[in-house]
Amino acid sequence: MKFFLCFLALAFSLQAKELVIEDILDRQVRINLPAKRMVLGFYYTDFLAVGKKEAFDRVVGFVKDAWAVYMSENYEAYKSIIPRLEKLADVGDPQFGTFSIEKLLALKPDLFIIADWQYELIKEHLPLLEKQNIPVIVLSYNKESYDQHAKSTEILGLILDQEQRAKQINAFYKTRLDEVQSRIAKAGLKKPKIYIEFGNKGASELSFTFGNDMWGALINLAGGDNIARNLVQKWAVINNEQIIASNPDVIIITGRERELHTNKEAMVMGVHIEESEALRRLLHFKERIGWADLKAVKNERLFAAYHRASTTMADIASVEFIAKMLYPQLFKDIDPNKTYEDFHTLFMPFMPEGTYYIGGIAK
């Protein structure tokens, strides 16, 4: 028996390793792998894409609301194939002031993975986490930089012992990004002006547009001239007069699932959303004061996209979508919906049914 226990200890020591990982903030973080009690702050689907659903067997807690409340249909779809999600502890959400360091510590995690914007919100707790020897790894997909996307994915590959899979995901993204940008560069066309708005408040009230983060950064990757670039740093509301004065060539309204039952006029897109319902809501945005005279509306270039098809490796489909809406003549052979489906077929447990992009039919 003593020999057997010694053998197990030796086997474990051979499998276990200590690694120093440079995270997205260039912090040198010492981690003991394999991590067996992780807490996940954000980027749930990228964690899943790299580690596959078995990776959640090593997760003991997460920031629940950002997925279960604000992406409810998406969360329910994944919960149906990962029942463990329902059993995970909720440590609260930093962006809404409900994060609890006590709940996190009670889980005795061996790794806390968070987004860069979450890191800024909970920095005051870091000394306590360091005192308890709980490493914190910071990732970022929000800035929509290929380098940060790739580095975050590589980090997940190291943590989850899926380095080859992480390389495949990065290659999927980079190949398609290079193709988009190469075609635009060769064409040498003037950049069309574009406005993207999160349509969660409906046509009667303006909501967030994007500067250098999220959809604003995706515009840059897709070769567009973002009318909000010099008006908004990350995300904020601009007034209707500014939109009218800019007269964008293309408008994209993003939506998610949450507003389907809470706001009958808000834009909805995503898991289990019917295209007919999404289109019905999209057409109301044409009725805004002054929008009938915008080039985007007059030329029937008002489109829609799934809001959560951003800040993730799957958002290469959104780069293609924006590029195709801006330069339709250059991307006749590119199907963003197929790219989104291909990503899920290759790297996700399944492809949820729903509506993710609406282009060319908002008449």
Side-chain angles (χ1 to χ4, degrees):
M1 182 67 176
K2 183 177 181 181
F3 172 79
F4 179 68
L5 291 174
C6 289
F7 175 78
L8 284 180
L10 176 62
F12 177 78
S13 66
L14 290 174
Q15 292 177 351
K17 61 180 178 180
E18 185 178 77
L19 200 64
V20 176
I21 294 178
E22 181 182 274
D23 73 6
I24 210 68
L25 299 180
D26 298 328
R27 299 163 57 250
Q28 303 297 314
V29 184
R30 192 176 301 275
I31 301 175
N32 289 311
L33 297 176
K36 296 183 176 181
R37 297 187 59 81
M38 291 179 280
V39 173
L40 193 57
F42 204 53
Y43 305 132
Y44 318 102
T45 54
D46 292 286
F47 181 89
L48 183 58
V50 176
K52 299 185 280 191
K53 67 179 183 179
E54 292 78 15
F56 274 92
D57 292 340
R58 294 188 279 148
V59 176
V60 295
F62 69 144
V63 174
K64 186 174 183 178
D65 283 2
W67 194 3
V69 175
Y70 295 96
M71 299 167 60
S72 56
E73 290 291 329
N74 184 295
Y75 172 77
E76 291 297 326
Y78 281 101
K79 192 176 72 173
S80 68
I81 61 167
I82 311 174
R84 179 174 170 77
L85 288 177
E86 196 166 17
K87 300 177 182 178
L88 297 181
D90 178 15
V91 297
D93 196 324
Q95 66 180 321
F96 300 113
T98 59
F99 175 74
S100 170
I101 188 66
E102 291 79 12
K103 289 181 179 179
L104 176 67
L105 293 174
L107 295 173
K108 298 181 179 179
D110 52 15
L111 181 59
F112 186 24
I113 303 172
I114 57 175
D116 54 348
W117 57 269
Q118 291 175 320
Y119 177 86
E120 293 300 320
L121 294 171
I122 66 166
K123 278 199 298 189
E124 64 184 281
H125 298 298
L126 293 180
L128 182 55
L129 295 175
E130 291 172 0
K131 185 177 180 181
Q132 297 293 324
N133 294 317
I134 299 171
V136 177
I137 283 284
V138 181
L139 308 177
S140 179
Y141 293 94
N142 275 63
K143 292 184 174 60
E144 300 296 352
S145 148
Y146 170 72
D147 289 342
Q148 290 205 358
H149 268 42
K151 184 173 181 178
S152 295
T153 304
E154 289 169 3
I155 291 170
L156 287 173
L158 287 169
I159 291 170
L160 301 172
D161 195 23
Q162 292 285 354
E163 293 176 71
Q164 187 57 38
R165 188 174 175 86
K167 289 179 181 178
Q168 292 170 352
I169 293 171
N170 284 341
F172 181 96
Y173 196 106
K174 188 65 162 61
T175 300
R176 287 159 179 78
L177 178 63
D178 286 348
E179 181 64 23
V180 166
Q181 296 184 334
S182 174
R183 292 189 190 189
I184 294 172
K186 287 178 182 177
L189 300 172
K190 181 182 177 181
K191 289 184 176 183
K193 291 191 288 185
I194 180 172
Y195 172 69
I196 297 184
E197 180 184 326
F198 181 26
N200 64 318
K201 295 183 179 179
S204 61
E205 183 179 353
L206 290 162
S207 188
F208 296 126
T209 188
F210 307 89
N212 298 309
D213 257 28
M214 298 180 67
W215 289 93
L218 288 173
I219 291 172
N220 295 336
L221 292 178
D225 180 5
N226 180 11
I227 69 167
R229 184 182 67 253
N230 297 321
L231 302 172
V232 175
Q233 183 176 0
K234 289 187 176 181
W235 52 83
V237 178
I238 63 175
N239 64 53
N240 199 41
E241 289 74 18
Q242 290 170 314
I243 300 169
I244 294 170
S246 297
N247 198 13
D249 300 288
V250 171
I251 295 174
I252 297 174
I253 306 296
T254 70
R256 60 185 178 185
E257 305 91 349
R258 188 179 187 224
E259 281 71 33
L260 181 63
H261 302 297
T262 61
N263 184 336
K264 293 182 179 180
E265 300 306 319
M267 191 62 216
V268 291
M269 296 284 284
V271 179
H272 298 156
I273 298 297
E274 295 288 339
E275 185 178 272
S276 58
E277 179 61 19
L279 183 57
R280 181 191 71 79
R281 293 172 182 236
L282 176 62
L283 295 179
H284 283 299
F285 285 83
K286 299 170 73 171
E287 300 167 3
R288 280 179 167 172
I289 295 174
W291 278 38
D293 294 323
L294 294 179
K295 285 189 287 186
V297 174
K298 287 195 295 185
N299 296 327
E300 297 177 352
R301 300 180 75 183
L302 171 65
F303 310 118
Y306 181 35
H307 188 66
R308 294 313 316 168
S310 64
T311 67
T312 168
M313 290 304 286
D315 66 34
I316 184 58
S318 295
V319 176
E320 290 183 344
F321 178 72
I322 296 169
K324 184 166 184 169
M325 299 306 100
L326 291 170
Y327 306 97
Q329 70 277 25
L330 299 182
F331 297 100
K332 292 179 180 179
D333 60 324
I334 299 294
D335 184 351
N337 278 296
K338 185 177 185 305
T339 297
Y340 196 71
E341 184 176 342
D342 287 348
F343 182 90
H344 284 75
T345 300
L346 288 169
F347 304 116
M348 303 298 284
F350 74 121
M351 173 65 193
E353 292 185 7
T355 304
Y356 299 97
Y357 302 104
I358 294 179
I361 58 173
K363 299 180 181 179

